[in-house]
Amino acid sequence: MFEVIIGLEVHVQLNTNSKLFCSCATSFGEAPNTNVCPTCLGLPGALPVLNKQAVHKAIMLGTALKSKINQKSVFNRKNYFYPDLPNGYQISQFEVPVVGLGELVIDFEDGTSKKIGVTRAHLENDAGKNIHAGDVSNVDLNRAGTPLLEIVSEPDMRSAEEAILYLKKLHSIVRYLGISDANMQEGSFRCDVNVSIRPKNDDKLYTRCEIKNMNSFKFIEKAIHYEVQRQIEAWEDGVYDQEVVQETRLFDPEKGETRSMRGKEDAADYRYFPDPDLLPLIITDEMIEKYSQIPELPDEKKQRFINDFAIKDYDASVITAHLETANFFDEMMKEGISGKNATTWLTVELPARFGEGVNIENSPIDAKTLATLVKRIEDGTISGKAAKEVLDFLIEKPENSVDFVIDELGLKQVSDDGAILEIIDGILATNQDKVEQYKSGKDKLFGFFVGQTMKASKGSANPQKVNELLKQRLS
């Protein structure tokens, strides 16, 4: 039996207006090589100037991860030669990062949790992008110099499940803080996955392989499963030392496998040395005090929802996993409705009606409209079944109000005792034999009377009133 050891290096692209060391824009999707200048092109004589907005965002993340903020940190040159790295080196942090030791807590479905250590988070500039088309490779340097915050975990994760929980939690925190759009498709949130195995009860760390530049939770999970199995098979076949070497690997999503990309460099291979063009980064007490005032985080919001709205722990986890869903729920609760009902309609009924490309962010139904629909169920205006019809209508024609649709479709419940009693008396009169059977002990016939009453009212009778009045008539 083997134990899996996983550590993650997450690269978060910070949403600053300009790049880390120059004033070029960081916008995505521009024509290739238009957001560039002498500094991010690495031209001789161009000097870097640190973007203080990136420093502020690093302090915010460090606060969220309960990390030590190093008030003096140093920028280094990390030397390597790729076509998309115009300087021939990356400006990064090595010995002393801006954010030191911290932690992140992951939660499992069974209610248990686990603390994952965070080793560090350091600032660095991104490389450009290689674009391969057949026999031709082009280089786009628009991304070169974009500010990254690299968050390095301790090797504390023991399964693909734990790694995905860690990544989703970190992704959520970054979005809540507002320091990055964390768009995985655009590469704003991507990670390198370090995987190794060891026999159970062995405390030694064996050779790790790094799976590079992953930006999909689904593919990360598949890549880990494949890599773990590959290493186990190599161990069991007696070829571990030949097959598992320290290297960088890529994941092929079409074949579902990892394959070797290049030998993994050690720190010495990068020939780190302090960048002579940049002074040490000094963070003042005032900066820490100002930028450690961060928004409500997922765990805090989850506990507030549980305490204030009496929803289940699991439901609160689902709602707070995404910032937009949590904000939607908060807006719904301003209308004074039940937390339980709001949860059902937000997490089950509404998403079930979303078409392709539609989600809570671009939902045609806003929070106040959905809350009003829930309110109309709670005040007895319509039944839960009728509310689904209303929601179906609103998805297609969201410009209408809930009350207009209820009237338009004729779905308002009849709650008037006299009107309902008139229907009930008619049902009982035509089913005297069943009335006698019910009174002689066949209690299950009560459902028959409810069904007949609802049918006769064409579903408009308030079910609660029907039950109350039938019990009175049959007692």
Side-chain angles (χ1 to χ4, degrees), residues 18-169:
S18 57
K19 295 182 180 181
L20 189 55
F21 297 114
C22 67
S23 58
C24 290
T26 54
S27 54
F28 180 83
E30 303 289 340
N33 299 307
T34 52
N35 290 342
V36 292
C37 72
T39 300
C40 55
L41 288 175
L43 299 181
L47 294 174
V49 177
L50 179 61
N51 184 334
K52 64 182 179 182
Q53 195 181 13
V55 178
H56 301 161
K57 292 175 188 294
I59 295 170
M60 293 173 69
L61 183 75
T63 304
L65 298 178
K66 300 184 176 73
S67 298
K68 177 189 177 186
I69 308 296
N70 290 313
Q71 293 189 254
K72 181 180 180 180
S73 60
V74 179
F75 283 98
N76 299 84
R77 289 186 179 181
K78 180 181 180 182
N79 296 272
Y80 59 97
F81 300 98
Y82 288 168
D84 56 4
L85 193 68
N87 291 79
Y89 60 84
Q90 180 183 33
I91 301 176
S92 184
Q93 294 185 306
F94 182 51
E95 296 98 339
V96 187
V98 62
V99 176
L101 290 172
E103 64 183 44
L104 186 150
V105 177
I106 58 175
D107 303 303
F108 300 99
E109 279 193 30
D110 63 5
T112 61
S113 59
K114 178 179 178 178
K115 191 180 294 182
I116 306 296
V118 174
T119 312
R120 57 191 280 139
H122 59 265
L123 286 165
E124 61 185 24
N125 60 334
D126 205 350
K129 188 176 182 181
N130 292 320
I131 302 164
H132 307 293
D135 296 332
V136 178
S137 291
N138 297 310
V139 178
D140 179 9
L141 294 176
N142 278 348
R143 196 175 69 182
T146 298
L148 296 179
L149 195 56
E150 180 174 345
I151 303 127
V152 182
S153 81
E154 292 287 303
D156 290 345
M157 286 154 276
R158 296 292 174 265
S159 67
E161 179 198 9
E162 290 185 10
I164 299 303
L165 286 172
Y166 171 92
L167 287 169
K168 286 185 175 179
K169 186 69 164 288

Side-chain angles (χ1 to χ4, degrees), residues 12-15 57 174-175 177-183 188-189:
V12 174
Q13 198 174 94
L14 299 175
N15 56 359
K57 292 175 188 294
V174 165
R175 297 274 287 112
L177 291 173
I179 63 174
S180 172
D181 63 16
N183 188 317
S188 300
F189 186 97

Side-chain angles (χ1 to χ4, degrees), residues 203-356:
D203 58 4
K204 178 183 173 184
L205 290 175
Y206 290 82
T207 304
R208 62 185 170 88
C209 294
E210 180 184 46
I211 310 167
K212 198 76 174 171
N213 279 335
M214 304 288 292
N215 64 348
S216 156
F217 294 134
K218 181 174 73 173
F219 291 157
I220 290 168
E221 185 175 20
K222 288 183 176 181
I224 291 172
H225 285 310
Y226 178 87
E227 185 59 25
V228 167
Q229 190 58 37
R230 183 183 77 87
Q231 294 186 22
I232 289 174
E233 287 176 5
W235 191 299
E236 291 176 339
D237 292 344
V239 293
Y240 179 82
D241 291 339
Q242 293 81 43
E243 295 289 332
V244 182
V245 295
Q246 188 168 328
E247 63 180 350
T248 298
R249 298 178 71 84
L250 291 178
F251 178 69
D252 185 335
E254 291 184 7
K255 295 183 178 179
E257 63 185 29
T258 66
R259 61 173 184 267
S260 182
M261 176 184 175
R262 63 175 183 268
K264 173 64 178 169
E265 298 93 341
D266 286 313
D269 296 317
Y270 290 122
R271 303 185 316 285
Y272 281 99
F273 64 88
D275 192 303
D277 294 333
L278 287 162
L279 291 170
L281 169 58
I282 305 298
I283 295 176
T284 64
D285 292 338
E286 290 76 18
M287 286 171 68
I288 291 178
E289 183 178 355
K290 181 176 180 179
Y291 293 102
S292 60
Q293 304 301 312
I294 57 176
E296 186 180 43
L297 295 175
D299 285 349
E300 296 163 357
K301 198 177 285 287
K302 171 185 168 181
Q303 199 56 52
R304 175 168 66 83
F305 286 174
I306 292 169
N307 294 342
D308 293 357
F309 307 126
I311 63 175
K312 294 177 181 177
D313 186 283
Y314 177 74
D315 289 336
S317 295
V318 171
I319 292 169
T320 56
H322 297 97
L323 176 61
E324 291 77 16
T325 307
N327 289 342
F328 200 103
F329 182 80
D330 250 339
E331 286 298 310
M332 287 183 72
M333 297 315 296
K334 289 178 181 177
E335 300 300 311
I337 58 177
S338 145
K340 181 181 177 183
N341 291 334
T343 298
T344 300
W345 285 84
L346 172 58
T347 64
V348 180
E349 296 296 343
L350 182 60
R353 289 162 173 80
F354 287 158
E356 187 176 349

Side-chain angles (χ1 to χ4, degrees), residues 434-450:
K434 289 185 171 59
V435 172
E436 295 302 322
Q437 290 174 36
Y438 174 82
K439 289 183 175 180
S440 65
K442 288 192 175 181
D443 295 342
K444 289 183 179 178
L445 280 169
F446 188 79
F448 166 80
F449 296 122
V450 171

Side-chain angles (χ1 to χ4, degrees), residues 345 349 353 373 377 382-393:
W345 285 84
E349 296 296 343
R353 289 162 173 80
L373 183 62
I377 301 169
I382 54 174
S383 66
K385 182 181 177 183
K388 294 180 181 183
E389 291 184 50
V390 174
L391 189 57
D392 289 338
F393 189 99

